[in-house]
Amino acid sequence: MASILDAVDPLSLSWAAGCAALSGAFYCVLPRSAPSGKPLGFEPRFEWCVRCVEGLQGAYIAAAAARHLATAGGPLAAPVVRTMAGYLLFDTAYELVAPLVKGGAWDAGFLAHHLVGLAAHGLATRHAVLRTATPYVYLAEASTPFLHASWMLDKLERAGSPLFLANGVAGALCYVAFRVALPPLTLWRFRDAAPWLAEPGGAGVHAAFQWSMVVFIGLNLFWFRKLVRMVSSKLKKT
């Protein structure tokens, strides 16, 4: 709980509020119907505006991580980590509100994922050595904009179009590169605990990082399998 609270500060809270405001702005300008004339009601437009924010956040954080690794290296700046914590606060709020809008129950898996993520970001704000590994994890977000773009193209009845296929290929390449191939390499790169021991509590932080990466790898493989099945199903229908 203490680590989660460490992730909450004025910057992360203001970033979360900014995400909420941006999603509201998207809701106001989004189309109210599909190209066929089929109305898009409150529920799909509500999800659509949140996905717009999630896609932009993924693009921003992946670009920030890539720029850091290419130009600076070392620990990622703490304010960048806090912006991601702010996004997680926003998305946690969305996961709590979504069932009230769409019906159904809370997704315990997603909520647990976000709470663990907030705890990890709280630790990262206090441990510079953890922020050295953080950019490699953030690169996984490069696939996020393509994932949400596929959902949007489907809602616009463009599934199976050349744009849908091109987006799917680009997203799949990013997913394989940054969510399937890179995490095991990151786990191997930071296998040595010695640099982490220079900070108080470094041994525990290193162990937590190693185990969280193992879980991260497993989840990415699980979701990759589901995404492949989903795309294949969409293509068979067209």
Side-chain angles (χ1 to χ4, degrees):
M1 179 59 73
S3 294
I4 293 176
L5 294 177
D6 285 337
V8 180
D9 79 329
L11 176 56
S12 63
L13 289 173
S14 62
W15 194 268
C19 288
L22 185 58
S23 66
F26 276 124
Y27 185 85
C28 294
V29 301
L30 287 173
R32 296 180 180 273
S33 62
S36 65
K38 178 182 178 181
L40 294 175
F42 174 76
E43 180 184 325
R45 293 179 71 225
F46 174 76
E47 184 171 356
W48 194 316
C49 67
V50 173
R51 283 178 178 268
C52 285
V53 173
E54 291 174 344
L56 289 174
Q57 174 70 24
Y60 158 71
I61 207 69
R67 181 178 181 275
H68 174 79
L69 292 172
T71 61
L76 187 65
V80 178
V81 174
R82 291 198 177 278
T83 62
M84 189 63 181
Y87 162 73
L88 287 173
L89 288 171
F90 160 76
D91 209 37
T92 300
Y94 166 71
E95 292 294 338
L96 291 171
V97 171
L100 303 178
V101 175
K102 299 187 293 185
W106 287 333
D107 190 322
F110 270 107
L111 289 173
H113 169 273
H114 283 20
L115 291 175
V116 171
L118 283 169
H121 282 75
L123 284 174
T125 62
R126 292 188 285 108
H127 294 274
V129 67
L130 180 54
R131 295 201 305 277
T132 302
T134 299
Y136 295 92
V137 180
Y138 281 173
L139 286 176
E141 293 299 322
S143 65
T144 300
F146 299 103
L147 174 65
H148 293 307
S150 290
W151 183 90
M152 294 172 190
L153 288 168
D154 179 53
K155 293 299 179 182
L156 290 173
E157 301 170 350
R158 298 290 302 278
S161 67
L163 180 58
F164 182 86
L165 294 174
N167 178 79
V169 170
L173 290 175
C174 284
Y175 199 104
V176 170
F178 299 121
R179 287 187 179 269
V180 177
L182 183 60
L185 297 176
T186 302
L187 182 63
W188 177 258
R189 176 183 176 86
F190 293 99
R191 67 191 183 282
D192 185 6
W196 302 63
L197 300 181
E199 294 186 358
V205 174
H206 180 259
F209 171 74
Q210 294 283 298
W211 280 109
S212 65
M213 285 302 296
V214 171
V215 174
F216 185 57
I217 291 168
L219 286 174
N220 284 332
L221 292 174
F222 171 77
W223 282 109
F224 184 61
R225 184 181 180 187
K226 292 195 71 170
L227 287 171
V228 169
R229 288 181 173 179
M230 181 184 70
V231 173
S232 297
S233 176
K234 291 290 182 183
L235 293 177
K236 288 179 181 177
K237 293 179 180 179
T238 59

